[in-house]
Amino acid sequence: MLPVTTVAARLSTRASRALVVAGQRHAGAGSVNAVRRKLGVSSSSQYQAIRGIQSVAQTDRDTITRLLYSLGSKREVERHLRIFSAASHPSQPAKFAVIKVGGAVLDELDELALSLSFLYRVGLYPIILHGAGPQMNSLIESEGVVPDYVDGIRVTDAKTLQVARRVFLEENLKIVSALEKLGTRARPITGGVFTADYLDRDKYGLVGKITKVDKRPLEASIRAGALPILTSLAETPDGQILNVNADIAAGELAKEIEPMKIVFLNDKGGMFHGVTGEKLDVINLDEEYDQLMKEPWVKYGTKLKLREFKELLDHLPRSSSVAVISASSLQKELFTDSGAGTLIRRGYKLLKHDNLDVIGADRFRQVIHDRDPEVLSGFQSVTGVLNNLQKTPYTIYGDEPLDVLAVVSHPPDEVPVMTKLLSSRAGLLNNVVDNVFSAIKKDHRKLFWTAQAEDENRAWHFERADGSFTRAGKSLFWYGVQDVKEVERVVREFEEKGRIDRAYLPVGPSVAPHRAAAAASGQRAFSTKAGGGTWTTKPGSIPGSKRGYATAAPTPSTEKKKLGLIGARGFTGQALTSLLSNHPHLELAHVSSRSLAGYTIEGYTKPDGSPLKYENLTEADVETMERDGKVDAWVMALPNGACAKFVEAVKKGGEAKEKKSVVVDLSADYRFNDEWTYGLPELYDRSKIRSSTLISNPGCYATSMQLLLAPLVPYMRPDAIPTVFGVSGYSGAGTAMDPDNKGADGRPLSIPKIPGEALNGGIKPYSLTGHIHEREAGWHLSRLLPGDTAAAIPAPKDPNQPKLQVGFVPAIAPWFSGILSTASVPLRKRMTAKEVWEVFEEKYGGERLIGMGKDVVQVKDIQGKQGWRVGGVQMGSGGERVVLVGGLDNLLKGAATQCLQNLNLALGYDEYAGIPVDEQDV
């Protein structure tokens, strides 16, 4: 197989001919029409020619993206691409990465240019800032100037600065030229970004200390579709050019831009242990910094680097990290969990306790309630977990915010068992799981644990185990035991004492005699029979991550399935029908509307090309269709209180079926029912939705409220109520039949219950207290309350009311669709707007249907868009109250789009199948 960079180079020749640069973001139909007008294209053939050129560029981009799959798993690569793409927004396009190129790397210019061009072709625009130390030394010495250093800083006089300027400009143009030859647009920026004062004129001469960074030239370059190539020269306010250390300039630039990644390219490819010489894979500053700085091998340059990295990351969101790598490893570092160089991040300090009361029983209980798959699937209760915990001595491991929690049971003279390993999304993305697991390995030379075969992070378990046994979808893992006979002895002990569920153990009649013999001889035995199992004593190279908990989900299904829609006359039903018309696997097979029965459904064509007509399905029809397996999923798009009879028909028809159909209800009927799963994927457990057949779709206002408040729940004052003012387009009021208004084919037409013109250009508040979405939002957000906050809130007098109260006032507005929600949230401690924004970035970073921007959200930002958007963070009352705005289209993310997310998850499809997801939809 050709190296990735070699293939990229071959592709670049073809890509450079393209009219539309492959790395630029997809502009949509509006931009295509603009191109047609600008170029004066009128004929179809001319237009198709331009579209053909665009297709070449897009094909190159897709091909290069696929090449990344050779570095890591497809899901791994796509997740990183999605996260990095979501980090940039047209209003702040420079959020992806700052890459500092060391002078030694410039001697490998071709490798550097290929790596940077690779990023460009997948639509990512880093800021490149370069030094030129070795080149400068060589030229200075050739001209007879002896370099002078004080405190490690180059003393810069007028002669030295003259040489520095010449070298910087030459090296800058070399990088630009190398990129342009590969068809990658680049813009040289040699001034106008850094303003500086003299560091110490008498001591260092013309050396600057940066006082201001102007990011506008960099953002302008990216908006123009060109990579900004920047030198580390600065100017004083009166125009004197000053020399600035490139590492320091990169750090100051990062503080201003707050990118996700700060990459330092060097010729060594990382940082190395001063005694063993081994490359350091990860440095977690919060956990390791103090100890590292005391190590005798950490001195001089290493100590300076660590100090600089800590000072830099302390100014940045926790989602930012530093990577020290070589140019050739740039793609592997950025797009795989295992990485390539040295990753430096803030991390969190870890905790370890053998007493539940130290971390708080309520906090522990909440984590179990929210994350434990056994509890979420109903096989175990929170009380049962707590009771089991007390049966043996145990140790709880985790990090300070409990983004990761692990429990190890370790009775005296017995092999320890890790009974729980539960991680939040932040724990996965920030690689906290590996830190916790490393702490466990330090304490226990041997360990057993279990995982189900459908575990999203299965590769992670295999990579960290010395051996495993899998049978009937359940796996037992261990490390520290190499002898199969010892494994069998330990397993028998687990069975006798009930320390591990028997379903995970290789015992009982399901172990065939030939397998037992093979195991006794130390040989591997494999079985593909149902109920059989697979021993592995030394796993080979399993795709996974040495840095973090791999988040690759099971391969999405592509099986064709059929959907029944009950109640399609309203706006939401129409929106869902439109989305389903583009679904690659799910066929809309039956659509019921009593008033439209017999008429053709507009905007939807069956896969065989035939039209689909409305039916008038009764409960008996639904029961029969369910019993006969005619439908794989049902969507109930009926008014509140109207769908129970159809749900019962589905349940009755499926009584004899082994595989039940999925039901998604769009009404409020089951949003407080424990038998149903509440389907808001971005906030509550996706795995629970995947395993559910009864899913209640959240309300539109409630969705926006919860997304707006959820990140702030741990920071809310327990004695105050957050308030939300929501304004919705008139489509949220629903539709009514107009008997006097019929279509051309005679079909009765629906009209809005409250027409926009009836509002006379104003808004109309309604349901000023007690709106059902108020209770809904509080009910489910209460699940996110930390233990200490929950304990501080008095129990509501009415058991039907949630513990977390939300004050909500809705209003209807004269636009068609779109909800704007403005929240005012009292905080338990003072926070800055930046800190609030970091909380949201940590909560939602990488979510494909959530957009974040600093500006206040407006209707134009959300109307017709598939996702939810937040912005306009402002602090009040001395930093103890935050006001911010969120928004979504009530017919899409507030209803139809979210419904399709839930259907996709429950049916085993990719969550976003059929949903047009790109940066323009959030």
Side-chain angles (χ1 to χ4, degrees):
M1 183 175 186
L2 288 173
V4 172
T5 50
T6 303
V7 180
R10 295 185 178 182
L11 286 169
S12 65
T13 303
R14 180 172 61 154
S16 64
R17 301 191 190 107
L19 176 65
V20 178
V21 180
Q24 290 179 320
R25 299 180 187 276
H26 175 62
S31 296
V32 172
N33 291 333
V35 170
R36 293 180 67 181
R37 291 192 298 270
K38 185 173 179 119
L39 298 180
V41 176
S42 56
S43 71
S44 175
S45 60
Q46 288 177 297
Y47 176 57
Q48 291 301 323
I50 291 176
R51 288 299 299 271
I53 295 172
Q54 289 177 318
S55 298
V56 170
Q58 184 62 43
T59 299
D60 287 339
R61 176 176 177 174
D62 292 343
T63 302
I64 292 176
T65 301
R66 291 189 187 97
L67 288 171
L68 288 171
Y69 301 158
S70 65
L71 303 178
S73 71
K74 176 180 178 181
R75 192 168 297 276
E76 191 179 336
V77 168
E78 289 180 343
R79 185 179 72 254
H80 285 88
L81 272 172
R82 184 169 66 248
I83 292 172
F84 291 145
S85 297
S88 299
H89 184 268
S91 64
Q92 292 179 306
K95 282 283 189 179
F96 162 47
V98 169
I99 298 179
K100 185 267 175 177
V101 180
V105 178
L106 295 177
D107 292 334
E108 302 172 357
L109 189 58
D110 290 341
E111 189 73 51
L112 172 66
L114 283 169
S115 294
L116 296 177
S117 184
F118 210 106
L119 298 177
Y120 180 82
R121 302 216 177 278
V122 292
L124 300 175
Y125 289 77
I127 297 170
I128 297 94
L129 183 145
H130 65 87
Q135 294 82 357
M136 188 171 167
N137 287 340
S138 177
L139 187 57
I140 285 177
E141 291 173 4
S142 70
E143 294 191 7
V145 179
V146 179
D148 184 17
Y149 291 87
V150 176
D151 300 331
I153 298 173
R154 184 197 300 272
V155 177
T156 304
D157 57 16
K159 176 69 173 177
T160 304
L161 183 62
Q162 182 182 8
V163 173
R165 286 191 65 194
R166 189 183 352 151
V167 171
F168 273 119
L169 293 175
E170 289 175 356
E171 298 300 323
N172 189 279
L173 289 175
K174 284 181 183 178
I175 298 174
V176 172
S177 298
L179 289 169
E180 296 278 4
K181 286 180 182 178
L182 294 174
T184 298
R185 294 184 60 200
R187 179 178 290 183
I189 301 177
T190 57
V193 173
F194 299 118
T195 300
D197 286 334
Y198 293 93
L199 181 61
D200 186 331
R201 189 167 188 176
D202 294 334
K203 193 174 184 179
Y204 306 116
L206 301 174
V207 175
K209 177 182 179 181
I210 294 173
T211 58
K212 182 180 177 182
V213 176
D214 187 350
K215 61 184 180 181
R216 290 177 298 174
L218 311 175
E219 293 180 337
S221 174
I222 294 173
R223 288 193 184 100
L227 297 183
I229 314 298
L230 181 63
T231 67
S232 59
L233 293 173
E235 300 96 29
T236 65
D238 58 5
Q240 172 62 52
I241 295 176
L242 298 177
N243 186 22
V244 178
N245 177 276
D247 285 350
I248 294 175
E252 294 299 320
L253 182 61
K255 290 176 188 177
E256 176 65 24
I257 292 173
E258 298 185 346
M260 292 197 70
K261 284 282 187 180
I262 305 98
V263 179
F264 291 84
L265 297 182
N266 66 16
D267 55 340
K268 296 180 180 178
M271 299 178 68
F272 296 83
H273 195 287
V275 177
T276 66
E278 294 180 349
K279 181 168 64 68
L280 302 173
D281 289 322
V282 186
I283 298 174
N284 298 286
L285 295 175
D286 281 7
E287 181 71 13
E288 303 173 72
Y289 179 78
D290 292 337
Q291 182 59 39
L292 274 174
M293 297 300 277
K294 296 175 184 176
E295 293 287 344
W297 59 269
V298 177
K299 51 188 176 182
Y300 308 125
T302 303
K303 183 167 287 189
L304 177 62
K305 287 285 187 190
L306 286 174
R307 188 178 293 117
E308 290 175 351
F309 291 152
K310 185 176 190 308
E311 195 273 337
L312 170 60
L313 290 174
D314 281 346
H315 282 81
L316 296 175
R318 285 194 181 271
S319 55
S320 297
S321 60
V322 169
V324 181
I325 53 173
S326 64
S328 60
S329 301
L330 186 58
Q331 292 86 17
K332 194 171 192 302
E333 174 63 33
L334 292 176
F335 298 108
T336 68
D337 291 328
S338 59
T342 302
L343 178 71
I344 302 99
R345 60 194 176 209
R346 287 170 65 186
Y348 285 100
K349 290 187 177 180
L350 301 183
L351 56 84
K352 180 175 71 174
H353 299 297
D354 57 4
N355 187 328
L356 182 61
D357 294 334
V358 178
I359 67 169
D362 286 339
R363 291 183 74 198
F364 182 91
R365 188 180 291 109
Q366 192 67 48
V367 172
I368 297 297
H369 177 274
D370 291 345
R371 302 182 203 157
D372 193 332
E374 297 289 323
V375 172
L376 293 171
S377 61
F379 290 111
Q380 208 172 12
S381 67
V382 175
T383 301
V385 173
L386 291 171
N387 290 338
N388 288 336
L389 186 68
Q390 307 300 329
K391 292 180 179 179
T392 66
Y394 63 88
T395 301
I396 298 173
Y397 296 81
D399 59 332
E400 290 177 335
L402 289 189
D403 280 330
V404 175
L405 183 145
V407 178
V408 176
S409 164
H410 48 81
D413 303 321
E414 293 185 30
V415 177
V417 174
M418 182 167 66
T419 60
K420 300 294 178 189
L421 180 59
L422 308 174
S423 177
S424 70
R425 186 173 169 280
L428 299 178
L429 291 178
N430 293 322
N431 310 105
V432 183
V433 178
D434 263 62
N435 299 344
V436 171
F437 194 77
S438 296
I440 293 172
K441 291 193 73 172
K442 288 179 183 178
D443 292 346
H444 304 286
R445 293 184 300 107
K446 301 177 182 179
L447 186 76
F448 280 69
W449 72 97
T450 62
Q452 295 191 2
E454 65 266 27
D455 191 308
E456 291 186 350
N457 308 294
R458 185 169 172 77
W460 183 92
H461 297 282
F462 274 110
E463 189 170 88
R464 282 147 190 81
D466 290 336
S468 66
F469 176 86
T470 298
R471 179 184 63 196
K474 298 181 183 296
S475 297
L476 176 71
F477 297 94
W478 64 86
Y479 71 71
V481 182
Q482 305 297 332
D483 188 340
V484 174
K485 291 184 178 180
E486 184 180 357
V487 173
E488 291 179 337
R489 179 188 63 77
V490 173
V491 166
R492 283 196 297 271
E493 184 176 270
F494 288 158
E495 183 189 23
E496 291 169 3
K497 299 187 176 182
R499 294 187 60 205
I500 288 182
D501 189 330
R502 195 173 187 277
Y504 289 93
L505 301 177
V507 294
S510 59
V511 181
H514 73 280
R515 292 186 42 69
S521 67
Q523 301 173 355
R524 296 185 184 181
F526 301 91
S527 171
T528 57
K529 297 178 181 178
T534 301
W535 282 97
T536 57
T537 54
K538 280 187 178 290
S541 178
I542 305 295
S545 162
K546 62 186 177 185
R547 284 186 178 170
Y549 203 11
T551 56
T555 303
S557 170
T558 57
E559 180 185 354
K560 301 295 184 183
K561 296 181 181 179
K562 296 182 182 294
L563 174 71
L565 174 57
I566 308 295
R569 176 180 58 78
F571 292 134
T572 298
Q574 294 169 19
L576 182 58
T577 300
S578 297
L579 285 175
L580 289 167
S581 65
N582 294 314
H583 200 289
H585 316 301
L586 187 59
E587 177 188 345
L588 185 57
H590 300 278
V591 181
S592 179
S593 172
R594 183 175 56 188
S595 58
L596 295 175
Y599 291 101
T600 300
I601 296 175
E602 297 175 340
Y604 187 87
T605 303
K606 297 174 71 173
D608 62 6
S610 62
L612 181 64
K613 292 187 176 183
Y614 290 102
E615 305 172 65
N616 181 16
L617 298 178
T618 64
E619 302 95 281
D621 295 330
V622 169
E623 181 181 336
T624 301
M625 293 166 67
E626 177 65 17
R627 184 183 302 111
D628 295 342
K630 297 288 184 65
V631 170
D632 301 286
W634 298 90
V635 171
M636 305 297 170
L638 294 165
N640 293 345
C643 74
K645 57 185 180 181
F646 290 102
V647 170
E648 289 305 312
V650 173
K651 287 182 177 180
K652 190 174 180 180
E655 286 177 353
K657 290 172 61 179
E658 181 179 348
K659 190 174 183 181
K660 312 294 184 185
S661 291
V662 171
V663 179
V664 178
D665 176 33
L666 301 187
S667 77
D669 292 2
Y670 299 100
R671 292 174 188 161
F672 306 94
N673 189 321
D674 291 338
E675 293 183 6
W676 289 63
T677 297
Y678 189 71
L680 211 172
E682 288 82 3
L683 288 186
Y684 308 113
D685 200 316
R686 282 180 164 96
S687 63
K688 190 172 183 180
I689 301 174
R690 288 192 183 97
S691 61
S692 296
T693 56
L694 299 175
I695 301 168
S696 60
N697 214 60
C700 51
Y701 277 127
T703 294
S704 190
M705 272 193 283
Q706 289 174 84
L707 291 171
L708 197 56
L709 297 176
L712 297 171
V713 166
Y715 307 94
M716 291 179 182
R717 272 179 53 189
D719 60 339
I721 296 177
T723 59
V724 179
F725 179 61
V727 185
S728 172
Y730 61 82
S731 61
T735 62
M737 298 303 299
D738 183 0
D740 300 324
N741 193 7
K742 297 185 181 297
D745 57 357
R747 75 175 67 199
L749 298 180
S750 298
I751 60 172
K753 285 184 178 179
I754 302 179
E757 56 270 19
L759 297 169
N760 297 317
I763 65 172
K764 179 184 178 181
Y766 65 100
S767 296
L768 303 185
T769 60
H771 192 288
I772 191 170
H773 288 181
E774 176 181 86
R775 176 169 167 254
E776 178 186 340
W779 187 273
H780 294 285
L781 286 172
S782 295
R783 296 157 54 186
L784 306 180
L785 282 170
D788 55 345
T789 304
I793 300 176
K797 295 179 180 179
D798 182 353
N800 293 320
Q801 291 301 314
K803 193 157 194 179
L804 194 157
Q805 297 287 316
V806 178
F808 172 58
V809 177
I812 192 168
W815 59 77
F816 177 68
S817 68
I819 285 176
L820 295 177
S821 302
T822 303
S824 176
V825 185
L827 304 173
R828 65 194 309 172
K829 66 175 184 179
R830 291 187 177 184
M831 297 179 72
T832 65
K834 180 181 177 182
E835 288 171 334
V836 170
W837 198 245
E838 288 178 13
V839 169
F840 274 80
E841 287 179 329
E842 288 188 17
K843 184 74 173 177
Y844 296 132
E847 286 289 353
R848 295 178 67 179
L849 290 181
I850 291 186
M852 294 183 284
K854 296 299 175 68
D855 297 332
V856 172
V857 181
Q858 301 180 56
V859 175
K860 64 182 178 63
D861 300 323
I862 55 172
Q863 196 171 66
K865 307 295 177 64
Q866 305 296 331
W868 177 80
R869 187 164 188 80
V870 62
V873 176
Q874 295 187 27
M875 308 307 297
S877 304
E880 294 183 353
R881 181 173 66 93
V882 61
V883 178
L884 64 168
V885 181
L888 51 72
D889 190 306
N890 52 290
L891 300 179
L892 296 175
K893 180 57 179 169
T897 302
Q898 191 142 266
C899 173
L900 192 49
Q901 281 181 270
N902 289 323
L903 279 172
N904 284 333
L905 288 168
L907 293 172
Y909 296 136
D910 180 276
E911 180 178 339
Y912 306 99
I915 302 173
V917 182
D918 59 37
E919 71 278 2
Q920 297 185 17
D921 285 300
V922 293

